[in-house]
Amino acid sequence: MVIKVDIEEKIKIAKKGTIELITEEELREKLQKRKPVAYIGYEPSGKIHVGHAITVMKLLDLQRIGFKVKVLLADYHAHLNGKGPMEKIEEMAEYNKRCFKALGLSDDTEFILGSSFQTKEEYTHKLYELSLITTLARAKRSMAQITREAENPKVAEVIYPLMQVIDMIFLEVDLALGGMEQRKIHMLARENLPRLGYNAPVCMHTPLLHGTDGGEKMSSSKGNFIAVDDPPEVIREKIKKSYCPMKEIKGNPIIEMAEYLILPMYDRMLIKRPEKFGGDLELGREELIKAYSSGELHPLDLKNAVSEYLIEIFEPAREYLE
């Protein structure tokens, strides 16, 4: 349901929980349109997890302020990135679609399979045009944080970002949403779409979560994730075993889940503790960071709280997917 608030409040809602918006002035212009389009692409290649949920919650915010949301189930992109045969990827795309719906995206959300339009003649022509104005180095640089073949890159590595740019033309994108790993591709779109005669999209970026093992990125292929359909006991066990060093904020996935998913939804977190350990704490973002970095908040107490919040947040998804 679209909420009726002024444009400044819409911008505030759009920016909440993001780490970059390019640019706020352009977003203000897009919000003047009757039904601007926000898009995100996901490779259908595994379980939907907390990292995905952060971007889905932002899509919900964008729907609330009047955006039409288009979710690209990027099957060809997944195939180009070594995620398996198309048949398997398309099966996973259907599962991913159900997960995204379970997280609350409205019936107005449009789910689009990449292969439904990426082999059309007009698409191929635009792809060739873009390839003529994009250097090999620039295309490869765009994929630095995404490719699975960093040591021995395939030609597909340079096709992938070009397709993602052309996708934005065919999906009529006003705003492109993604994690920070998408930034270089989004900047490629902002640089080159105007050269092809199209408007540059507003680009909005959310934080990347570290894996539960402390790895650089949460990923279903690495097994270091919390899935949206994990049962409560599995969530508790995964969080219990997660990397969460005492007093350490940077690279701490438990702090990140609190900061980037839980607090944007609840504003404040209740940390339940026995009286002998100081009693309950109710913390906002800055208070949480201060309490944890000082040692006032113990990792186990934080983990217990994060577990219960995740169980509550994902309960509708578990029920929907049963």
Side-chain angles (χ1 to χ4, degrees):
M1 180 181 294
V2 177
I3 57 174
K4 294 182 179 180
V5 295
D6 64 32
I7 196 162
E8 295 308 317
E9 183 62 23
K10 287 182 178 181
I11 290 171
K12 182 179 178 182
I13 292 169
K15 291 172 65 177
K16 187 176 182 179
T18 64
I19 54 176
E20 187 175 47
L21 172 63
I22 308 170
T23 67
E24 184 174 320
E25 181 180 346
E26 292 176 25
L27 175 60
R28 187 173 280 105
E29 292 175 3
K30 300 294 187 183
L31 285 168
Q32 303 293 339
K33 296 180 67 172
R34 189 182 68 83
K35 196 73 172 178
V37 172
Y39 129 97
I40 190 169
Y42 297 103
E43 287 186 10
S45 59
K47 286 277 191 176
I48 300 303
H49 54 66
V50 176
H52 297 102
I54 288 174
T55 53
V56 173
M57 296 308 164
K58 182 46 56 183
L59 290 174
L60 291 173
D61 284 341
L62 294 173
Q63 286 184 329
R64 288 171 59 218
I65 62 173
F67 275 89
K68 162 76 174 181
V69 167
K70 296 183 179 181
V71 175
L72 177 65
L73 300 169
D75 52 347
Y76 266 131
H77 287 87
H79 185 55
L80 288 171
N81 204 9
K83 301 293 180 68
M86 289 293 287
E87 296 79 10
K88 181 180 177 181
I89 290 169
E90 287 176 8
E91 287 178 11
M92 186 58 67
E94 189 57 36
Y95 163 76
N96 287 180
K97 178 179 175 180
R98 292 183 67 233
C99 288
F100 295 135
K101 285 185 174 182
L103 287 170
L105 289 174
S106 75
D107 292 339
D108 184 48
T109 305
E110 190 173 350
F111 293 91
I112 303 158
L113 204 61
S115 56
S116 68
F117 66 91
Q118 289 166 344
T119 58
K120 292 184 177 180
E121 182 178 349
E122 186 182 358
Y123 184 96
T124 305
H125 178 69
K126 295 295 182 187
L127 189 63
Y128 292 162
E129 285 188 321
L130 180 59
S131 70
L132 285 170
I133 61 172
T134 306
T135 66
L136 186 61
R138 181 68 179 86
K140 287 182 67 176
R141 192 165 69 247
S142 296
M143 283 292 288
Q145 287 186 276
I146 299 173
T147 183
R148 294 166 60 88
E149 302 288 348
E151 294 182 6
N152 188 25
K154 305 289 194 303
V155 174
E157 184 176 329
V158 295
I159 298 174
Y160 186 117
L162 301 188
M163 287 178 62
Q164 196 164 330
V165 172
I166 301 303
D167 292 341
M168 296 184 200
I169 296 174
F170 281 76
L171 298 177
E172 300 178 316
V173 171
D174 293 298
L175 182 150
L177 173 67
M180 278 300 287
E181 83 282 5
Q182 296 290 329
R183 189 184 193 279
K184 291 180 180 178
I185 293 181
H186 286 173
M187 294 306 99
L188 181 66
R190 284 184 61 84
E191 292 165 16
N192 283 341
L193 283 179
R195 297 173 68 187
L196 296 178
Y198 298 92
N199 293 328
V202 173
C203 295
M204 180 178 288
H205 302 123
T206 57
L208 281 180
L209 289 190
H210 285 79
T212 55
D213 58 356
E216 187 173 326
K217 181 184 175 183
M218 184 173 286
S219 169
S220 59
S221 64
K222 296 178 180 178
N224 59 359
F225 66 98
I226 309 291
V228 301
D229 57 354
D230 276 342
E233 62 273 15
V234 172
I235 291 176
R236 292 189 184 101
E237 187 64 21
K238 285 183 176 181
I239 294 293
K240 181 181 178 181
K241 294 179 178 179
S242 292
Y243 177 76
C244 188
M246 176 78 80
K247 299 184 180 182
E248 185 65 45
I249 301 298
K250 188 175 181 181
N252 186 328
I254 306 302
I255 286 287
E256 291 172 350
M257 290 182 215
E259 185 177 4
Y260 301 139
L261 180 65
I262 297 168
L263 284 168
M265 296 181 68
Y266 292 86
D267 290 324
R268 300 182 70 78
M269 281 185 69
L270 178 63
I271 313 288
K272 295 182 179 180
R273 304 188 302 184
E275 286 298 328
K276 65 179 180 179
F277 295 128
D280 294 351
L281 291 172
E282 188 175 346
L283 306 171
R285 180 190 175 278
E286 291 183 6
E287 296 162 313
L288 174 69
I289 299 300
K290 182 179 179 181
Y292 194 80
S293 60
S294 69
E296 178 187 358
L297 177 58
H298 192 275
L300 182 58
D301 294 318
L302 176 62
K303 285 183 174 185
N304 288 339
V306 167
S307 293
E308 298 312 308
Y309 274 102
L310 291 183
I311 289 167
E312 181 175 308
I313 290 168
F314 295 147
E315 181 180 4
R318 289 193 301 274
E319 292 179 352
Y320 182 94
L321 292 165
E322 283 181 354

